[in-house]
Amino acid sequence: MSVIAEKPRNDSAVRVIPTGKPVGATIEGVDLASLSDAQFEAIFDAWMKHNVLRFRGQELTKEQLQAFSARFGELDRAPINIKGEPWIEGYPNIAVMSNIIQDGQPMGSLGYGEAVWHTDMSYIEVTPSAALLYSLEVTREGGETGFISMYDAYETLPEDLKQAIQGKEIKHDASHNSAGELRKGFKAVDDPREAPGALHPIVVRHPVTQRKALYLGRRPRGYIVGLSLEESEALLDRLWAHATDESKSWWQKWNVGDLLMWDNRCVMHKRTAFDPKERRFMLRTQIKGSKPQA
Ligand code: OGA
Ligand code: MN
């Protein structure tokens, strides 16, 4: 009997194994480098249902990662990084998430510290619908990525909070990333009302599923338009306490070759800190979305 694991074929059945939390499922039985249309459709349906998908043991070139990503929509440029140019020359649509320093220069974004709960790029008008993160080097400990459902957060919102946010919008700070670093070209401001960034409804409707989701972005420098700063802070604190109930979160502990994709319209994610002596290296693509709508 051969001990070498055979890659799934493109006529293999797609198996969906839910995490048991409000978000997440592991998908088995697929090789993302050679997917059939029928397998893609099964993956897409599972994604709409579970919002975060994990595929283990994938071996993908940058081109194959981009090709799989592009099945979900037009590839979006990587977010602005502290370097001001693509992490990998010739690949403006691939971001690198890494703590590795080479020749005194970081090889990617987000470092080794904690990245707070967030939605990707909610600070711009037309926000990405999805991100795909593919691991090439992983930590033994820490550097885990957590997810939480914003459908569930909306659906379980106490009635008085639903009333309090009715018709309201949040201003989403563009100046800092989720690791708290100042983005290139921005100056630091402390008053959330003065921070640059897009306005979006607090409750959004998912363009595919039509389900409503809470849309909070990130907590630092968030502001609820039209309220006094004190009222905005108090209401945001209550919303965030409700939305980040970690008993409902699902956590990915990374192996090399894992590909994780999330629906940026209805989940938030965060990453735990890890020992800077460890090496973590991930490639990331994102898909163009649309302006979030109530
Ligand atoms: C991201 C992100 C978290 C991680 O890629 O948008 O937040 O675990 N990454 O690297
Ligand atoms: Mn992110």
Side-chain angles (χ1 to χ4, degrees), residues 132-147:
L132 296 89
L133 195 58
Y134 175 54
S135 61
L136 295 175
E137 291 188 69
V138 301
T139 54
R140 273 164 302 171
E141 233 193 306
E144 280 119 34
T145 313
F147 293 89

Side-chain angles (χ1 to χ4, degrees), residues 110 118-120 178 262 269 284:
L110 287 189
H118 66 282
T119 291
D120 288 328
S178 57
W262 58 89
H269 57 284
R284 178 185 183 288

Side-chain angles (χ1 to χ4, degrees), residues 44-72:
F44 189 86
D45 290 348
W47 187 47
M48 286 302 101
K49 192 162 169 204
H50 300 288
N51 317 135
V52 182
L53 300 182
R54 172 173 66 191
F55 306 86
R56 297 270 205 203
Q58 301 295 319
E59 283 175 39
L60 301 173
T61 63
K62 293 186 204 57
E63 281 69 23
Q64 287 167 336
L65 171 63
Q66 295 193 118
F68 172 63
S69 303
R71 297 188 83 136
F72 295 91

Side-chain angles (χ1 to χ4, degrees), residues 79 120-125 127 172-174 176 183 197-198 200 218:
D120 288 328
M121 299 182 84
S122 63
Y123 49 87
I124 59 173
E125 286 295 313
T127 59
H172 295 250
D173 170 42
H176 292 73
R183 293 179 202 280
H200 298 299
R218 55 199 72 190

Side-chain angles (χ1 to χ4, degrees), residues 186-207:
F186 287 94
K187 70 177 201 318
V189 291
D190 287 330
D191 187 332
R193 291 169 297 188
E194 279 155 28
L199 310 186
H200 298 299
I202 305 187
V203 179
V204 297
R205 197 175 279 282
H206 192 288

